[in-house]
Amino acid sequence: MNKGSEWRKWNFHVHTKGTNKNDQFTSATMDDFFYTFFKGAFDNQISAIGITDYFSIDRYLEAVEYRAEIEKKIDSTGKKLFTDIEVEFIKNIFLFPNVELRISPATKKGKFINLHFLFNPDYVPSLNNSFFNKLQNIDGYLMNEQGFIDYAKHLDPKIHVDAQYKYGLDNYNIEVGEIKKLITNNKELRENSIVAVSSKSNDGVSGLKDYYSEFESEGGSLLGTIKSIYKLTQIVFSGAPSDKDYFIGKKTSVEEVENHAGSLKPCIIGCDSHTESELFNKFTWIKANLNFEGLRQICLEPEHRVRIDNDKPDFKEAKLLIDKIQFLSPNDIFSTVPIYLNPNLNVIIGGKSSGKSILLYAIAKTLSTDDTVLKNDDGTYKYELNTIENGFDFEITTKGGFSQKLNRNDDENSIVPEIKYIPQSYLVKLAEPELNKKGKSLNKLVRDLIKEDDTCKEAYQNFINKVQQNDKLRNSQIDLFFETQREIDNLEGELKTKSNREVLEQNIKANSEKVEELNKSTGLNDTQVEEYKKLQAKLDLNNLKHQSLGNDLSSINIFNAELKQVISSFKQKKDSLLETIQLPEIKKFFQNEYSIIDILLEKAKTIENSIQTEIREDGTHFINDCLFKNLLTLINSKNLELKNSLKPYLKDEKIKLAIVQLNESIKNDKNAIGDIDNINKKIKEKKKNLQKTKDDILNIYEESYHEYTSIIENLKVRTHELEKDGLKIVGKAKYNFKKLRDNLWSVSDGRSASYNQYSILQESKKATDEIIFEDIFNEIKKIFEDIISGQYVLTSKASVSNVVKLVLDDYFFDYWEITYKKDKLGKMSTGKASFVILMLIIGLSKSRSPILIDQPEDNLDNRSITTDLVNYLRNKKLERQIIIVTHNANIVVNADAENVIVANQKGQSNENSTSLYKFDYINGAIESSFDRILTETDILKSMGIRQHIADIVEGGKEAFIMREKKYRFH
C-alpha cells in the first residue's frame, strides 16, 4: 500500500545496550534488551530508528542481526515473542547507523561538540575503508580500536592496559577540519551520509556560541569555526522552537541563515536513550519514505517534512480524503491494481495520451455533483468512458472506509459531494475578458466560493429570498397599480353615464315645489305641509340607507371573497412551513403564533355564510341572521311606518297619485346623486391608493438595491483572508444595462425610438460600468412615468403592465472585482489570470474536500510556475488533498509532491511495455529512486519514481539538480 511520502515517527538518536559511553541499560542479555527495544518501537509506532554509538556501528549491526531473526524468537514455553502484526511492523522499520563523534574545539563547559553521521545502510560495508580508517584526531591517531588505545597511551602512559580502550574512546576528539576534508574529497561518502550537529549548550554548537559571546573580543577565529561546523552539517539536533524557526529562516531571514549556516536546516530530536526507560520517549515526525533517500528529503524540505509534536501533522478528516482509486476493467484496458493516494499533493505524470487526464476525470465523474465541468461546450461528456470499454467502471474508497462506483443509481448521493474538479483549459476560459459570457461565469464562480462558508451561504440565501420576495411583491404591486387604474377608468366611465348633478338637483327642487303646491291644493295648511315635508325627507333618507346597505353588502362580499382566497394561500404556506420545522419547541411556538391565520380564515368563512342571500318573489332575503338582515328589517319597518304616516296627508286620490309619482322621481334623482357622490368618493380613494401603490413600487425597487449593498458588506469578511496571498476582492453592486436595453427595445416602437432620450439605455452602457444608484433610479422613474402616460411608445402587441414589470425588474447584481498585486484581473495576461483564478478557487473555498486540477500550468510562464503556483500549492496541500495532472517538473519537484502517479499507454512510447494493460499506472514518492533495470520489460516497473520524473516530465532532471544545488546536494 504505497501512498508516497507519509508522516511517520522517526527516532534519530537511540543508544542500545553495550553503547561505548554511559551504558546504563540493565537488561540481563542482549536478547532481553532487543525484545524490549523492538516491542517498545512497535508500541510507540516508531517507523525509523537511528541506532547510535560513539565512533562505531557495532550496535547497529547487532540490531539488524536481531531483527533478521525476529520471526524465530520464542520464549521458554515455545510461544512466539512477537505477534504477526508486530513482526510485520518491525520488519519494515527503517534502521540506519548514527555514528556519534566528538569534535574540537571544546565548549564553554569543557565538552567537545557532538557531531552525528547518519549513514545509508547500503553503504555500511564501505564504512571501514572510506570513513573509520580515514579519520584521525588532532594528534594523528586513527578512529579505530588500536587508535583509541594508542591515543590513551599518548594521553596517559601510566593507564592500565584494561582501561586503555575505554579511556581513549572517552577522550578521543577530531578537529572539524579533518571531517570537512574527508567529506570534500569523497563523493561516495558525501552521497551516502548526512551530518547532524547538536545545538545543546553543553556539548553542542550553542556551547561554542556562549563561549564566543563571553570572549567576543578575542574570538574571531571561533566565530569562523561555528560557521564551519554549521556549513558542514545538514541537520540540527534541537527541540527548541527558536532553533527551528531560525534554521528555516523564519526568525531572521533565509539569506542570513544561508550566510551563517550554509543552508536552511531541519531541526530534529531523538530520545538519546542510555536506559530502557528512555527508549522512544522522544520522536520526530518525518514525511518521507522509509529509506535513506527519504531521509535526504528533510534536508531539501526542512520546514514542510519535519515536525516535533505529539500529534500527527496535517490532520484532515477521513471522510474528506480519497484513500484508494481503482479501475474496474473486465477486458484489461485499464490497470485494475488499486492506486493509493496521499492526503496531501498527488501529481499524475505521463507521456501524451498516457491516461493522465482520464484517471483524473474518472475521479471527478464518480464524485462531482457539478455536471457542467464534466462536459464540453456542446453538452457532451469530455470522456465517454463506457465507449472505451464495455463493462467499464471506476471505484473510489475514502479514508473513512466508504466506497462508491462511477456507475451507480441516480438516487445515490456522492460520498464526497464538495469535490472540486478543474479540467484542462477551464481556468483559461474563465480568464477571458470579463465582459463576455465567460466573465459572468467567473463572477458566479467567485460568488459560489464565497458562499461555501456556511454563515455566508445562509446570509446569501436570506438575501436571495428577500430580493425574490421583493420581485414578487413589486410585480404584485404593479398588477395592483394597473388593476386600480382600470377600476378608476371604469368608475370614470360609469360616471359619464350618469346625469348631470345640477340637472338632478334642479329637477328635485322643481318636483319638491310641485308636491308642495299639490298638497296645498288639497286644503292642507302650512303646518300640515311642513309636517308632510319632514315625513317625506325621513322617507327619502331611509331609502338612501337602503341603497347604501346594498352597496356595502356588495363591497363586503367582494372583499371577503378576496380575503378568503389570500388567507387560504397563507394557511397553505404556513402549514407547509410548520411541516419543515425540525425542532418541536420551535414548531409548537409558531403553531401558536400563526394560529391567527386559521382563526382569520374561519372568520372569513363565517362572514361569507352569515351574509348569504336568496331571491324570493318579494325580493332578496338574507338566509341567516346577521347585521345586514337586522338593518334591512329596520329600514323596511321604518319605510312602512313613514309611508303610513304620510297617508293622512294624501286624501285626494288623483293628487295622491301625482304626489307619489313626483316623490318617486325625487327619490330616483336623489339616488342618482348618491351614486354620483359614491363614484366620486371611490375615484378619489382609488387615486389615492394608486399613488400609494406607485410609491410602494418604487420603494421596493430601492429596497432591493440596498439588499445588494448590504449582502456585499456582510460577505466582505470572507475576502479578507486572501489578502495575505496578495489577492484583493472588492464587492460592488452593478447594473445590467444591456439586459434592460435589450428587453425594452424588443417591445418599443422603433419608428418613435423613445429609448433614445434616456441615458440609461445608451448602447455604450455596460454591465461592468460603475453605477450611481440615484441616477439609475431617476431614469427608471421617468421611464415608468412615460410608459403609463403613453409618452414612451410601445409596439401594438406590448402589454403596458408587462413592460412596466420589465423596466422595474431587478437588473442589479453583486459583482466581485479581483486584483492581484495591484493588477486587475481583466487586464492580466491569460496565464496570470488563470493562476489568480486557481488561487481564488483554492483560497476562497471553505470546503476541505479534494481538489482535482488538470494541467494548471497551461499558459503560465515558467517564472509564475516556479514562484507563485509552486509556493501556493505547497501551502494549500496542507489544508486539503490535491490531485494534479501536470507536465511541468517544477510542480512535481519544487512543490514537493508527496505522491507521484506515473501513467503509461502501451505502444505510445518508443518502448513497448509488457504490462497486461493498455493503460497502466504506478505510484510512489519522489524519493523512490533506482536506475533503469535493463532486464525489466514492464516500463513502469523498470525504474524509480524519481527516474520516471526525469525521463517523462519536461525539465525533470534540471528541476532535481536545481533543488539539490540549493541545499548543496551536488
Side-chain angles (χ1 to χ4, degrees):
M1 188 174 67
N2 189 353
K3 295 184 180 181
S5 304
E6 293 189 81
W7 286 108
R8 297 180 179 94
K9 294 178 182 178
W10 288 48
N11 202 316
F12 289 90
H13 191 177
V14 185
H15 289 275
T16 58
K17 182 177 175 62
T19 185
N20 281 333
K21 196 170 189 288
N22 195 25
D23 181 6
Q24 300 178 48
F25 294 102
T26 57
S27 299
T29 66
M30 291 300 292
D31 277 359
D32 289 343
F33 171 77
F34 277 118
Y35 171 77
T36 302
F37 178 88
F38 282 111
K39 190 72 166 62
F42 172 79
D43 291 342
N44 290 281
Q45 293 292 288
I46 307 297
S47 298
I49 303 172
I51 306 294
T52 308
D53 203 3
Y54 299 90
F55 309 107
S56 171
I57 61 167
D58 291 346
R59 306 291 83 78
Y60 163 76
L61 294 173
E62 288 171 356
V64 171
E65 183 181 354
Y66 183 90
R67 187 175 66 172
E69 301 292 321
I70 203 163
E71 290 182 275
K72 301 176 185 176
K73 301 291 181 183
I74 57 174
D75 63 16
S76 58
T77 66
K79 181 182 176 183
K80 285 177 65 175
L81 288 173
F82 296 98
T83 67
D84 291 343
I85 294 173
E86 290 171 338
V87 168
E88 191 60 31
F89 181 86
I90 295 167
K91 279 167 60 178
N92 290 306
I93 292 175
F94 173 48
L95 297 177
F96 57 95
N98 176 352
V99 176
E100 190 167 2
L101 309 180
R102 288 190 303 278
I103 63 173
S104 58
T107 67
K108 180 181 177 182
K109 296 185 179 180
K111 301 263 187 174
F112 291 109
I113 296 168
N114 286 340
L115 199 71
H116 297 256
F117 270 78
L118 313 179
F119 287 110
N120 184 350
D122 297 338
Y123 190 63
V124 166
S126 303
L127 283 180
N128 275 337
N129 290 331
S130 65
F131 183 69
F132 291 113
N133 292 335
K134 296 289 185 188
L135 278 177
Q136 59 184 9
N137 75 351
I138 195 167
D139 295 309
Y141 294 97
L142 292 175
M143 194 178 77
N144 55 33
E145 183 175 350
Q146 187 58 49
F148 297 147
I149 293 171
D150 292 342
Y151 186 53
K153 292 176 181 177
H154 167 73
L155 292 177
D156 187 356
K158 298 176 182 178
I159 195 165
H160 191 275
V161 65
D162 294 338
Q164 286 175 356
Y165 174 77
K166 182 73 169 61
Y167 184 79
L169 190 73
D170 285 346
N171 292 278
Y172 192 89
N173 65 88
I174 303 169
E175 198 271 326
V176 67
E178 281 291 311
I179 295 172
K180 183 177 180 181
K181 182 170 65 175
L182 178 63
I183 294 173
T184 303
N185 295 335
N186 191 331
K187 182 175 182 290
E188 191 177 55
L189 175 66
R190 194 165 64 245
E191 290 176 345
N192 286 280
S193 64
I194 293 174
V195 185
V197 67
S198 170
S199 187
K200 294 179 182 177
S201 59
N202 59 339
D203 57 4
V205 185
S206 290
L208 282 186
K209 288 181 183 176
D210 295 340
Y211 190 76
Y212 169 73
S213 62
E214 188 170 330
F215 302 101
E216 189 168 0
S217 59
E218 50 189 272
S221 62
L222 197 58
L223 177 61
T225 302
I226 293 172
K227 286 187 175 184
S228 294
I229 293 171
Y230 276 135
K231 289 180 179 180
L232 184 70
T233 63
Q234 292 89 45
I235 293 176
V236 175
F237 270 107
S238 174
S242 58
D243 279 351
K244 179 246 182 184
D245 288 343
Y246 174 81
F247 283 108
I248 60 174
K250 283 192 171 179
K251 194 173 182 182
T252 54
S253 68
V254 171
E255 291 74 22
E256 186 194 321
V257 177
E258 289 178 342
N259 177 57
H260 183 73
S263 67
L264 303 184
K265 304 180 192 300
C267 285
I268 61 171
I269 58 170
C271 60
D272 193 10
S273 55
H274 287 270
T275 66
E276 282 85 355
S277 62
E278 293 173 329
L279 286 171
F280 313 123
N281 61 1
K282 294 179 182 178
F283 60 85
T284 305
W285 287 102
I286 299 295
K287 183 170 61 178
N289 266 9
L290 293 174
N291 54 34
F292 187 74
E293 190 63 31
L295 177 55
R296 289 176 86 244
Q297 300 307 305
I298 72 170
C299 304
L300 305 175
E301 302 291 343
E303 178 180 0
H304 294 291
R305 283 189 177 242
V306 181
R307 290 285 189 281
I308 299 173
D309 202 345
N310 288 327
D311 299 323
K312 190 174 183 178
D314 300 348
F315 170 77
K316 297 180 178 75
E317 283 191 82
K319 70 176 183 178
L320 300 177
L321 289 176
I322 299 174
D323 187 57
K324 180 180 69 172
I325 55 179
Q326 184 175 14
F327 285 102
L328 305 177
S329 178
N331 304 305
D332 293 339
I333 300 297
F334 292 91
S335 169
T336 55
V337 178
I339 302 170
Y340 288 88
L341 299 185
N342 192 279
N344 289 354
L345 178 59
N346 303 265
V347 298
I348 307 171
I349 64 171
K352 187 177 180 182
S353 302
S354 57
K356 308 183 297 293
S357 294
I358 288 178
L359 175 60
L360 195 72
Y361 184 80
I363 299 172
K365 198 165 192 301
T366 304
L367 296 177
S368 179
T369 56
D370 182 3
D371 212 35
T372 57
V373 297
L374 301 173
K375 293 181 177 180
N376 299 308
D377 292 339
D378 61 2
T380 59
Y381 283 103
K382 293 180 184 296
Y383 295 96
E384 295 290 351
L385 298 172
N386 290 328
T387 64
I388 298 175
E389 178 186 21
N390 272 336
F392 169 89
D393 210 340
F394 189 80
E395 187 172 35
I396 293 175
T397 304
T398 66
K399 184 74 173 173
F402 294 95
S403 295
Q404 189 157 64
K405 290 181 179 178
L406 189 153
N407 296 316
R408 62 181 188 271
N409 294 330
D410 292 339
D411 59 353
E412 185 181 340
N413 292 339
S414 170
I415 55 176
V416 192
E418 293 178 342
I419 192 168
K420 283 209 181 302
Y421 172 52
I422 303 174
Q424 193 174 355
S425 302
Y426 177 73
L427 296 173
V428 175
K429 288 180 181 178
L430 287 172
E432 290 177 5
E434 295 182 35
L435 306 185
N436 64 17
K437 185 178 178 182
K438 305 304 179 190
K440 293 177 186 175
S441 298
L442 175 58
N443 195 56
K444 183 179 184 302
L445 173 72
V446 175
R447 181 192 301 125
D448 289 344
L449 289 168
I450 289 172
K451 292 190 309 183
E452 281 192 11
D453 175 83
D454 287 341
T455 303
C456 293
K457 183 178 182 180
E458 183 180 354
Y460 197 85
Q461 188 56 53
N462 289 337
F463 153 73
I464 291 294
N465 292 341
K466 286 179 183 176
V467 293
Q468 286 180 345
Q469 193 63 37
N470 280 350
D471 290 344
K472 291 178 183 178
L473 186 58
R474 186 180 60 250
N475 285 338
S476 68
Q477 289 295 98
I478 291 171
D479 286 337
L480 178 61
F481 178 87
F482 283 100
E483 182 183 341
T484 305
Q485 185 61 63
R486 281 192 298 272
E487 289 174 351
I488 292 171
D489 293 341
N490 290 337
L491 287 170
E492 288 178 341
E494 184 182 352
L495 189 61
K496 289 178 181 178
T497 66
K498 301 296 180 182
S499 297
N500 184 283
R501 183 186 181 90
E502 291 182 5
V503 172
L504 291 172
E505 289 175 344
Q506 183 64 36
N507 201 45
I508 290 169
K509 182 181 178 184
N511 286 336
S512 298
E513 289 174 351
K514 287 181 182 178
V515 169
E516 187 176 346
E517 289 174 4
L518 287 171
N519 280 326
K520 286 181 179 178
S521 69
T522 60
L524 294 177
N525 56 36
D526 291 342
T527 302
Q528 288 172 322
V529 169
E530 284 303 316
E531 285 296 324
Y532 174 83
K533 285 168 67 176
K534 286 179 182 179
L535 289 171
Q536 186 61 49
K538 289 180 180 179
L539 182 60
D540 291 343
L541 184 60
N542 203 53
N543 287 332
L544 282 174
K545 279 188 178 182
H546 189 279
Q547 183 183 16
S548 297
L549 184 140
N551 291 336
D552 291 345
L553 176 63
S554 176
S555 298
I556 293 295
N557 267 321
I558 292 170
F559 175 79
N560 199 69
E562 290 179 357
L563 176 65
K564 197 175 94 169
Q565 182 181 2
V566 170
I567 296 300
S568 295
S569 174
F570 270 106
K571 182 182 186 307
Q572 187 178 8
K573 290 180 180 179
K574 181 262 296 181
D575 292 342
S576 178
L577 167 70
L578 292 174
E579 284 299 316
T580 64
I581 300 295
Q582 297 176 353
L583 294 179
E585 301 91 338
I586 294 176
K587 186 172 185 175
K588 183 178 179 182
F589 177 81
F590 282 99
Q591 272 179 333
N592 182 61
E593 290 294 300
Y594 291 141
S595 62
I596 187 67
I597 295 175
D598 300 85
I599 295 169
L600 192 55
L601 180 60
E602 288 303 314
K603 178 61 72 176
K605 290 178 180 177
T606 300
I607 291 171
E608 180 185 50
N609 186 60
S610 70
I611 59 177
Q612 279 186 323
T613 59
E614 62 180 2
I615 300 174
R616 300 176 189 166
E617 289 183 3
D618 56 345
T620 300
H621 292 264
F622 289 93
I623 297 172
N624 301 308
D625 287 337
C626 63
L627 176 62
F628 282 99
K629 184 176 183 179
N630 294 337
L631 286 174
L632 182 60
T633 301
L634 288 173
I635 290 169
N636 288 339
S637 175
K638 188 69 173 178
N639 194 284
L640 182 61
E641 177 189 334
L642 289 168
K643 284 182 177 180
N644 288 331
S645 298
L646 285 169
K647 283 181 181 179
Y649 298 95
L650 301 171
K651 295 177 181 178
D652 187 298
E653 287 299 325
K654 187 175 180 181
I655 294 174
K656 177 183 175 182
L657 181 60
I659 290 174
V660 168
Q661 289 175 343
L662 287 170
N663 282 334
E664 187 66 26
S665 176
I666 292 168
K667 172 190 167 186
N668 290 337
D669 288 344
K670 286 184 177 180
N671 284 344
I673 290 174
D675 285 341
I676 291 170
D677 290 342
N678 189 43
I679 291 171
N680 280 321
K681 183 179 179 182
K682 285 182 178 179
I683 290 172
K684 182 180 178 181
E685 186 63 30
K686 289 191 179 295
K687 283 185 175 180
K688 181 181 174 183
N689 290 340
L690 188 72
Q691 184 58 48
K692 183 180 182 307
T693 303
K694 183 179 175 183
D695 293 340
D696 289 344
I697 291 168
L698 295 172
N699 287 337
I700 294 167
Y701 185 88
E702 189 171 10
E703 284 173 14
S704 285
Y705 166 75
H706 290 303
E707 290 295 341
Y708 284 91
T709 57
S710 177
I711 190 61
I712 287 168
E713 183 64 26
N714 288 338
L715 297 184
K716 191 165 61 176
V717 65
R718 279 280 281 129
T719 63
H720 288 167
E721 56 201 71
L722 295 181
E723 292 181 5
K724 64 181 183 297
D725 296 318
L727 268 176
K728 189 172 183 182
I729 303 178
V730 178
K732 297 180 178 180
K734 297 281 182 115
Y735 187 82
N736 197 332
F737 295 98
K738 184 178 184 302
K739 187 176 180 181
L740 170 67
R741 185 168 62 245
D742 291 346
N743 286 344
L744 195 51
W745 280 16
S746 68
V747 293
S748 300
D749 186 330
R751 294 167 300 180
S752 302
S754 303
Y755 38 75
N756 286 334
Q757 57 186 303
Y758 309 98
S759 62
I760 197 174
L761 300 176
Q762 291 175 0
E763 288 190 71
S764 59
K765 291 281 189 181
K766 302 185 296 293
T768 52
D769 286 350
E770 296 292 331
I771 67 167
I772 299 174
F773 173 72
E774 289 73 19
D775 293 347
I776 293 173
F777 193 39
N778 289 333
E779 286 273 284
I780 288 295
K781 286 192 286 187
K782 187 173 188 309
I783 296 172
F784 181 18
E785 293 279 2
D786 291 349
I787 288 173
I788 59 178
S789 68
Q791 291 183 47
Y792 191 108
V793 185
L794 305 173
T795 61
S796 58
K797 294 181 179 180
S799 161
V800 175
S801 62
N802 288 340
V803 174
V804 169
K805 288 178 183 177
L806 183 150
V807 169
L808 289 162
D809 200 0
D810 183 359
Y811 295 107
F812 294 102
F813 61 98
D814 52 305
Y815 178 80
W816 302 91
E817 188 175 81
I818 302 157
T819 56
Y820 177 58
K821 296 180 178 177
K822 299 184 179 178
D823 289 339
K824 285 192 176 181
L825 185 61
K827 296 181 180 179
M828 295 176 190
S829 66
T830 301
K832 186 175 182 181
S834 298
F835 168 65
V836 170
I837 294 166
L838 179 63
M839 289 177 71
L840 287 170
I841 292 172
I842 299 176
L844 267 181
S845 177
K846 265 298 205 189
S847 169
R848 291 296 176 255
S849 293
I851 183 165
L852 319 179
I853 317 173
D854 198 344
Q855 295 184 199
E857 69 271 17
D858 283 358
N859 297 100
L860 277 180
D861 59 79
N862 203 49
R863 183 177 178 183
S864 296
I865 295 169
T866 54
T867 54
D868 293 339
L869 180 58
V870 163
N871 289 335
Y872 202 67
L873 290 174
R874 288 171 71 93
N875 291 326
K876 293 305 174 183
K877 69 181 181 178
L878 306 179
E879 300 173 4
R880 65 195 298 183
Q881 188 178 43
I882 301 175
I883 310 167
I884 289 182
V885 170
T886 184
H887 52 65
N888 188 283
N890 284 307
I891 291 177
V892 183
V893 178
N894 291 313
D896 192 29
E898 282 80 359
N899 187 32
V900 180
I901 302 167
V902 186
N904 183 64
Q905 182 183 169
K906 191 191 292 188
Q908 284 295 112
S909 62
N910 294 330
E911 300 176 72
N912 198 4
S913 176
T914 57
S915 169
L916 292 173
Y917 310 103
K918 180 180 179 181
F919 293 99
D920 201 359
Y921 305 87
I922 196 169
N923 72 291
I926 288 175
E927 56 265 29
S928 173
S929 175
F930 58 89
D931 291 329
R932 180 73 179 267
I933 303 171
L934 297 177
T935 56
E936 176 59 69
T937 55
D938 185 333
I939 194 168
L940 288 182
K941 297 176 182 176
S942 68
M943 64 183 86
I945 296 296
R946 179 183 173 120
Q947 285 70 25
H948 276 299
I949 296 168
D951 187 53
I952 295 170
V953 186
E954 181 184 345
K957 291 179 182 178
E958 292 77 7
F960 279 115
I961 291 170
M962 286 181 64
R963 181 184 188 227
E964 297 190 356
K965 228 173 188 179
K966 182 179 178 183
Y967 294 95
R968 301 188 300 115
F969 276 92
H970 61 284

